[in-house]
Amino acid sequence: MSNKLKVGEIEVGGRVWIAPMTGVSDLPFRRAASRLGAPYVATEMVASDEFARGRPDVVRRAAVGEGLPLMVVQLVGRDPATMAQGARLAARAGAEIIDINFGCPAREVTGVACGSALMREPDLAESIVDAVAQAVDVPVTVKMRLGWDAASLNAPELAARCVGVGARAVTVHGRTRSQFYKGAADWAAVAGVKAAVDVPVIVNGDIVDGETARQALALSGADGVMVGRGVYGRPWIAAEIEAALAGQPFEGPDAPTRLAIVLAHFEDALNFYGARLGLRIFRKHLAAYIDNAPWPMQAEARRAARSRLCRLEDPSEVKSELAALWRGPEARLAA
């Protein structure tokens, strides 16, 4: 099985994609993951109406930047014309794929009838995909859930309608909106979407390593997997899972290499946002890196280290404390 996928005319160089995640998949994170082998990392969810008005924080979420193997911008909204305009702006800025969000379960998104709420309005969802596909020359894709709730599992029908008006790939999170992130993702239920469309289908939800990826692909029949929360603190996970799917060995980064990854990511965040905002935004990543640090450490000590570093206000102090934290466990192990 080839590890490459075709989305329209775009070739994605792997079957393991990284999900769009608000507060996580900003440009510094996408650059870090791309350097470490991720072939596809989408932007944070971008509100199309605010993007079209040029709100600085929203424009920043769609930042293109250099050094990415593929530029994917995810848009959210419910007005077809505004979504089309947002797509045109994104394509003009360099987006090579436009992804449409029909899957976000967050109350602030569904409360304005966007994200997964649009699964309850399939006519409007289809109109949005149609408008966006007609507005741009780049491939348009959609990300959805199984349905709004267990009584309305309409992902196969909606996927078929979206593909009928131009969608070139479909990602499905194996939960309903009503589940949020509770319970286990139902990978087998994604098989219905795979049977309903003739474009690549990507299965998402609870995929954290090679074994869960293999199971998700086997049960869903999907063409690839999308990793969400499993990438926290592990931006190399796409390459690790890809190797596992190919039956190849993968040597994860050792402790010094991981420290270098953290510091390079941090420096990029500081340069991108400025020191004060960059430090604040990076704290979510910093906590995840500490949680996944590659040495034995009691949970209480790990929590204390995370709490201490995430309260620091001076970037240089964060760097020196990180280096000391990384040296500490190694020194104990060598003793």
Side-chain angles (χ1 to χ4, degrees), residues 22 82 95 120 139 216 234 242 272 274 301 309 323 325-326 331 334:
T22 299
T82 306
R120 297 190 294 182
R234 301 188 295 164
E242 195 73 67
F272 182 63
L309 267 73
L325 180 65
W326 243 256

Side-chain angles (χ1 to χ4, degrees), residues 13 25 47 69 74 79 84 110 132 134 136 138 141 145 160 166 204 212 220 226 229-230 253 269 292 303 324:
S25 53
Q74 189 189 70
D79 176 59
T110 59
V132 172
Q134 291 190 48
V136 295
V138 301
T141 63
R145 288 195 162 220
N204 173 225
T212 51
S220 66
M226 180 173 280
R229 292 168 292 166
N292 287 279
R303 281 196 300 271

Side-chain angles (χ1 to χ4, degrees), residues 220-239:
S220 66
D223 303 282
V225 299
M226 180 173 280
V227 182
R229 292 168 292 166
V231 77
Y232 291 0
R234 301 188 295 164
W236 54 85
I237 195 171

Side-chain angles (χ1 to χ4, degrees), residues 75 80 83-84 87 98 100 127-138 140:
L75 296 177
M83 289 285 282
I98 304 293
I100 300 175
S127 295
I128 289 170
V129 176
D130 190 18
V132 172
Q134 291 190 48
V136 295
D137 293 328
V138 301
V140 175

Side-chain angles (χ1 to χ4, degrees), residues 7 15 31 79 84-85 122 134 190 213 219 231 234 277 297 304:
V7 179
R15 291 175 288 161
R31 281 199 281 236
D79 176 59
Q85 176 61 7
Q134 291 190 48
V190 179
L219 290 170
V231 77
R234 301 188 295 164
L277 181 59
M297 192 176 189

